[in-house]
């Protein structure tokens, strides 16, 4: 483990040294040998923009609709599970009370009732897992639909704008506001979505 750490540190040190050399040797190569020549500059056609995806998702009409649908399903699933669980707990408490007061005629009848309750509890646990899985799948499908919608729009949008890169602002620490196209993209996506309704 210690050798791996030492090797990793050496590799990182060499990488930093290489970057340092490349950075400073790159600057000196732009300067000409003769004193009278001007510094060569390159005008790049690099165009960069960024979108605040979290802000976009919060204000995108499709996202709101998907969230509302998800919330309704979540509430329905929670209600279904809670009702079944509550009903089971009442029957289990009644069974426990009946056992304590000797309400069963035979031991076999008590065992049958206990086994039935254990089976019912397993069904409720399975229902909980099934409903949780359905919600997870629904959330995943919603996220995919939102990302697909954004990516499809950005591809159309970029046909005319010709950006070299469009970043997610979640990964950008500092960015010039003129490069922030979030509002423009959000307005256009909401307009496009509302036309399709």
């Amino acid at each position: 483990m210690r050798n791996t750490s030492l090797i990793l540190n050496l590799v990182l040190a060499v990488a930093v040294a290489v970057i340092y050399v490349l950075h400073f040797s790159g600057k000196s190569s732009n300067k000409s040998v003769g004193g009278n020549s001007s510094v060569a500059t390159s005008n790049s056609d690099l165009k960069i923009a960024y979108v605040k995806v979290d802000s976009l998702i919060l204000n995108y009409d499709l996202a709101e609709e998907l969230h509302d649908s998800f919330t309704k399903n979540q509430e329905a699933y929670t209600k279904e599970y809670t009702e079944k669980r509550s009903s089971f707990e009442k029957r289990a408490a009644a069974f426990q009370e009946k056992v304590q007061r000797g309400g069963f005629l035979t031991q076999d009848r008590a065992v049958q009732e206990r086994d039935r309750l254990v089976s019912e509890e397993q069904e409720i646990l399975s229902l909980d897992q099934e409903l949780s899985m359905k919600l997870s799948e629904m959330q995943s499908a919603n996220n995919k639909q939102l990302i697909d919608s954004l990516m499809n729009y950005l591809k159309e949008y970029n046909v005319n704008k010709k950006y070299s890169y469009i970043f997610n602002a979640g990964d950008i620490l500092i960015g010039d506001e003129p490069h922030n196209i979030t509002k423009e993209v959000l307005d256009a996506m909401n307009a496009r979505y509302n036309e399709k309704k």
Side-chain angles (χ1 to χ4, degrees), residues 32-126:
S32 64
V33 178
N36 293 336
S37 298
S38 64
V39 175
T41 61
S42 69
N43 290 333
S44 145
D45 291 336
L46 186 67
K47 285 179 66 177
I48 296 175
Y50 65 91
V51 175
K52 294 181 178 178
V53 175
D54 52 344
S55 296
L56 187 120
I57 296 299
L58 286 174
N59 298 302
Y60 185 25
D61 293 342
L62 173 61
E64 290 177 24
E65 188 175 296
L66 291 173
H67 177 72
D68 291 346
S69 173
F70 177 82
T71 302
K72 285 178 186 173
N73 282 313
Q74 185 178 33
E75 289 170 357
Y77 291 167
T78 301
K79 181 180 178 188
E80 178 183 355
Y81 172 77
T82 302
E83 287 173 354
K84 288 190 178 193
R85 186 73 194 181
S86 177
S87 175
F88 166 76
E89 287 173 356
K90 286 178 186 173
R91 284 192 298 282
F95 168 77
Q96 189 67 28
E97 181 183 325
K98 195 171 183 181
V99 167
Q100 287 176 351
R101 64 181 161 86
F104 288 101
L105 296 176
T106 65
Q107 182 69 21
D108 286 342
R109 180 66 186 113
V111 169
Q112 285 177 343
E113 183 64 17
R114 183 203 64 204
D115 290 347
R116 189 187 65 74
L117 287 171
V118 167
S119 176
E120 187 178 338
E121 184 176 30
Q122 289 301 317
E123 288 175 12
I124 290 172
L125 291 173
S126 293

